Amino acid sequence: MKDKNAHDELYINAPHGIVIHRDFKVLYVDDNYAQLFGFEKKEDMLKIGSLLELIDPSEWDRSTRTYQAVMSGEKPPTVHSSRNLNKNKQEINVLVVDHVIEWQGQPAMQVTIVDLSQQVKAQKQIRDSERRYRELVDGSIQGILVHQNFTPLFANNSLREMFGLPLSAKLSEVGDMMGYIDPQHWKEIGEKHQQLMAGEQKQIKSEYKVTHVDGSSIWVNLLSSICFWEGKPAALATVVDMTEQKRLQQALEYKANHDGLTGLLNRNSMSEILESAVQTAKDETSDLCCILADIDEFKKINDCYGHHAGDKVLKIFSQRCSDSLLKQGSVGRWGGEEFIFLMQQVDQIEGVFIAERLRRLIASEPIVVGDISISVSASFGIALLNSPQQTAEDLVANADRALYKAKRKGRNCTMLFNEEDQHSLTI
């Protein structure tokens, strides 16, 4: 950004355009920019080898050094004049506004050009030029924010709309921008801002959850660098709304970690939780209880009532498991009609109590599918981590052995694994 007083010295009423490039290779150009340099269509300009062809050779070295310094973060984006050449090699004088953006996942330079070739002296044309420049910035699909310690100095229309701020509101009415960021990010963003302003970081890029004025939450991507505003250092942030991308990412993560039918955690997720829980129990020398549950004679349910009824039984069984466990641990679908429960700091007595409570609940309440009432029961096998040498696989295998004993015992019962296998606990 440039001192506003400097703009007051320019008497401008000129066309303007935008080009986005990387190493002077054109990535995007609008019609105004192309026509300014004598091209009939922007597509023609996309064919040139380098933007340096449109710059006076005497300016090549300075232009290259400025580009490298801005892209590397050594210098903030600048506003400067330049001598350029149109395609007919006619010289034109332009005002160049540089801005670093992200284009297709990589940094690129966005250049706004204002033609100064036809300068006039009227104050009206100064205001017209400033209005045009503001329209360019406000027309950006990205939010642009300039702030000093999160006190806003400039915000374009895209940013105001993103946050739900009235377009007519004065920045003094907006307040501290930190107030719009979710408190969970305050420490991180504060530390990164200090590093940026201290010169420890040339550029910072982060994702933050922001509270919209209407109370809803949005996710934004911030790319911040240092600029100068009225002669003082400030932070220049490019803000991109990535709420939809975040929702898609969360949806994909949920789908990857949860069973599609029951909504419970799937086997892969439970395996990761199991490994972590075993390690925690060993580190803290605490109890860890694993329960395997299997719906009794589930195949007969499918055979008698159809797979639709079987699916309904699985869903309701899963819901009852989740409701019964509450926040005592994790529950997931281990496979088919088999389910797994993991509970940290739960000993043998409490584990048996939890399994029995759920077993009785399942057996006492038939599952209704349409006009059919289906009596359902389940068998439970319990194992506890009782040795530093035990692995996650050992724990599940022991619970599976206890479950097998419950099945052999006649189903609809709870069995506790006993290493010596001298007795089994039947409730």
Side-chain angles (χ1 to χ4, degrees):
M1 291 292 178
K2 191 175 181 181
D3 194 321
K4 184 176 181 298
N5 293 331
H7 287 293
D8 291 340
E9 299 174 2
L10 297 174
Y11 294 82
I12 309 169
N13 184 13
H16 48 264
I18 295 176
V19 67
I20 298 174
H21 72 90
R22 188 178 296 117
D23 293 324
F24 298 97
K25 176 66 178 178
V26 179
L27 304 173
Y28 167 84
V29 63
D30 65 8
D31 287 328
N32 288 340
Y33 192 101
Q35 292 169 8
L36 181 62
F37 285 87
F39 294 89
E40 292 184 4
K41 298 182 299 181
K42 62 183 180 181
E43 287 78 9
D44 295 333
M45 191 168 179
L46 291 170
K47 299 176 183 178
I48 66 173
S50 171
L51 282 176
L52 290 174
E53 298 176 22
L54 304 177
I55 299 176
D56 190 294
S58 65
E59 300 273 359
W60 285 1
D61 184 64
R62 181 171 73 93
S63 297
T64 301
R65 283 187 286 105
T66 298
Y67 170 84
Q68 293 172 345
V70 171
M71 293 299 290
S72 66
E74 294 178 9
K75 291 178 59 177
T78 61
V79 179
H80 61 275
S81 60
S82 177
R83 286 182 298 170
N84 288 13
L85 301 172
N86 64 18
K87 74 170 188 175
N88 298 317
K89 303 303 179 183
Q90 297 172 326
E91 183 176 290
I92 56 175
N93 295 307
V94 296
L95 178 71
V96 180
V97 182
D98 295 330
H99 186 60
V100 179
I101 67 169
E102 187 172 310
W103 182 267
Q104 295 181 345
Q106 296 183 12
M109 178 77 76
Q110 176 178 295
V111 179
T112 302
I113 293 289
V114 181
D115 186 7
L116 302 182
S117 297
Q118 303 296 324
Q119 294 189 20
V120 293
K121 297 179 180 180
Q123 186 64 34
K124 176 181 180 297
Q125 291 173 327
I126 294 179
R127 293 193 297 269
D128 288 345
S129 175
E130 290 180 342
R131 176 178 55 80
R132 289 188 182 91
Y133 174 73
R134 179 57 184 262
E135 288 174 352
L136 282 173
V137 176
D138 284 337
S140 171
I141 61 175
Q142 300 167 323
I144 298 174
L145 171 69
V146 180
H147 67 90
Q148 288 175 333
N149 293 322
F150 305 101
T151 298
L153 305 174
F154 170 82
N156 70 347
N157 285 348
S158 291
L159 185 125
R160 289 170 180 261
E161 291 172 354
M162 199 180 297
F163 283 60
L165 303 171
L167 298 183
S168 59
K170 297 180 180 179
L171 289 179
S172 58
E173 300 171 352
V174 171
D176 190 336
M177 296 304 296
M178 186 72 90
Y180 294 91
I181 299 174
D182 192 283
Q184 65 177 307
H185 305 302
W186 284 357
K187 182 179 179 181
E188 177 190 350
I189 195 172
E191 291 174 349
K192 287 187 174 182
H193 178 71
Q194 290 179 358
Q195 293 171 0
L196 177 69
M197 301 311 294
E200 298 173 13
Q201 296 286 341
K202 297 177 181 179
Q203 199 174 63
I204 55 175
K205 181 180 179 181
S206 304
E207 293 180 5
Y208 297 116
K209 186 179 181 181
V210 172
T211 301
H212 191 277
V213 169
D214 65 9
S216 63
S217 295
I218 62 173
W219 282 88
V220 299
N221 183 296
L222 265 67
L223 183 65
S224 299
S225 57
I226 294 180
C227 70
F228 288 88
W229 185 271
E230 298 185 352
K232 297 180 180 180
L236 170 63
T238 301
V239 187
V240 178
D241 186 342
M242 54 176 297
T243 305
E244 289 305 314
Q245 296 95 312
K246 195 71 175 180
R247 286 174 181 166
L248 177 60
Q249 176 186 343
Q250 291 172 342
L252 291 174
E253 289 177 353
Y254 182 90
K255 187 175 182 179
N257 294 324
H258 291 77
D259 176 60
L261 177 64
T262 65
L264 296 180
L265 292 169
N266 60 25
R267 184 167 184 144
N268 286 339
S269 295
M270 289 302 296
S271 295
E272 293 178 3
I273 294 172
L274 176 64
E275 292 286 350
S276 177
V278 167
Q279 188 59 53
T280 299
K282 290 180 179 179
D283 293 342
E284 299 178 356
T285 319
S286 58
D287 291 316
L288 175 62
C289 179
C290 176
I291 301 176
L292 282 180
D294 187 89
I295 301 175
D296 295 329
E297 299 184 312
F298 182 73
K299 184 176 183 301
K300 288 185 178 180
I301 296 176
N302 277 333
D303 292 341
C304 293
Y305 305 107
H307 288 279
H308 170 72
D311 288 348
K312 185 69 176 291
V313 168
L314 288 171
K315 290 179 182 178
I316 295 178
F317 181 88
S318 299
Q319 186 62 55
R320 290 180 182 177
C321 289
S322 296
D323 294 343
S324 178
L325 195 62
L326 296 177
K327 297 181 179 179
Q328 289 179 285
S330 301
V331 58
R333 188 179 181 190
W334 198 240
E337 64 272 20
E338 193 170 70
F339 299 81
I340 187 170
F341 304 79
L342 292 174
M343 294 163 288
Q344 291 182 302
Q345 298 182 347
V346 170
D347 60 17
Q348 173 178 306
I349 296 175
E350 190 175 4
V352 171
F353 175 80
I354 291 170
E356 271 301 288
R357 180 181 61 194
L358 180 55
R359 185 191 66 79
R360 291 193 181 102
L361 173 65
I362 296 298
S364 65
E365 297 184 22
I367 294 176
V368 178
V369 181
D371 297 330
I372 304 170
S373 180
I374 305 174
S375 295
V376 177
S377 66
S379 301
F380 292 79
I382 304 174
L384 280 85
L385 189 71
N386 54 21
S387 168
Q389 285 73 42
Q390 269 192 324
T391 65
E393 291 78 8
D394 293 335
L395 182 61
V396 175
N398 290 342
D400 192 51
R401 292 186 183 99
L403 175 61
Y404 179 70
K405 288 192 291 184
K407 290 290 188 180
R408 291 186 61 188
K409 194 73 176 178
R411 304 184 180 88
N412 191 23
C413 64
T414 299
M415 300 297 291
L416 182 67
F417 174 77
N418 187 304
E419 275 193 30
E420 291 76 22
D421 203 25
Q422 294 176 346
H423 65 276
S424 297
L425 176 62
T426 306
I427 309 300

